[in-house]
């Protein structure tokens, strides 16, 4: 059974940084497009960033220039480096496959506050 486990969230001051990780079980990670999403209280889940198996990336306009998505196929792990964090980045962050997504993990809470 494919599982996704997110980690690395926490409380950070505005302007700070965090690095999120998403560990994937199973064998499909290496060849699949992976995405990071986030969901703020009272809002719909939104796409933050995506990365192909070959390393091509895309970002939401709201995070472009501040966030960097990357992957380690040998470790079946997806990353999201978040710099210059803003209060509006506060949300639960999730990862998933873009095509044929699996059950959502528990996510990791990111809180940006002074």
């Amino acid at each position: 059974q494919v599982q996704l486990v997110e980690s690395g969230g926490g409380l950070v001051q505005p302007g700070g940084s965090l690095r999120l990780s998403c560990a994937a079980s199973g064998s499909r990670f290496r060849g699949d497009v992976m995405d990071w999403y986030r969901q703020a209280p009272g809002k719909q889940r939104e796409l933050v960033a995506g990365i192909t198996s070959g390393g091509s990336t895309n970002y939401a306009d709201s995070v472009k220039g501040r966030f960097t998505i990357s992957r380690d196929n040998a470790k079946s792990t997806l990353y999201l480096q978040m710099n210059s964090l803003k209060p509006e980045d506060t949300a639960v962050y999730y990862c998933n496959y873009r095509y044929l997504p699996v059950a959502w993990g528990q996510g990791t809470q990111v809180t940006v506050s002074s």
Side-chain angles (χ1 to χ4, degrees):
Q1 182 178 356
V2 176
Q3 286 188 313
L4 299 168
V5 180
E6 302 91 349
S7 62
L11 173 63
V12 63
Q13 292 187 340
S17 298
L18 283 173
R19 189 193 196 202
L20 307 184
S21 297
C22 166
S25 61
S27 60
R28 64 177 288 198
F29 179 89
R30 184 181 299 271
D32 275 12
V33 180
M34 296 295 298
D35 292 322
W36 279 104
Y37 299 82
R38 67 186 180 187
Q39 187 167 20
K43 295 188 177 181
Q44 288 190 329
R45 190 170 292 164
E46 63 174 351
L47 178 65
V48 174
I51 185 168
T52 68
S53 58
S56 296
T57 59
N58 63 280
Y59 298 92
D61 287 343
S62 58
V63 307
K64 207 170 290 185
R66 300 187 297 121
F67 291 10
T68 302
I69 188 172
S70 62
R71 64 192 296 161
D72 185 333
N73 288 336
K75 296 182 178 179
S76 295
T77 302
L78 181 72
Y79 302 101
L80 186 68
Q81 177 67 43
M82 305 187 296
N83 299 328
S84 302
L85 282 161
K86 305 176 180 180
E88 51 263 44
D89 295 318
T90 295
V92 179
Y93 285 70
Y94 303 87
C95 62
N96 214 324
Y97 298 93
R98 180 174 300 176
Y99 307 112
L100 298 177
V102 299
W104 294 98
Q106 83 287 352
T108 186
Q109 174 72 48
V110 172
T111 303
V112 185
S113 175
S114 55

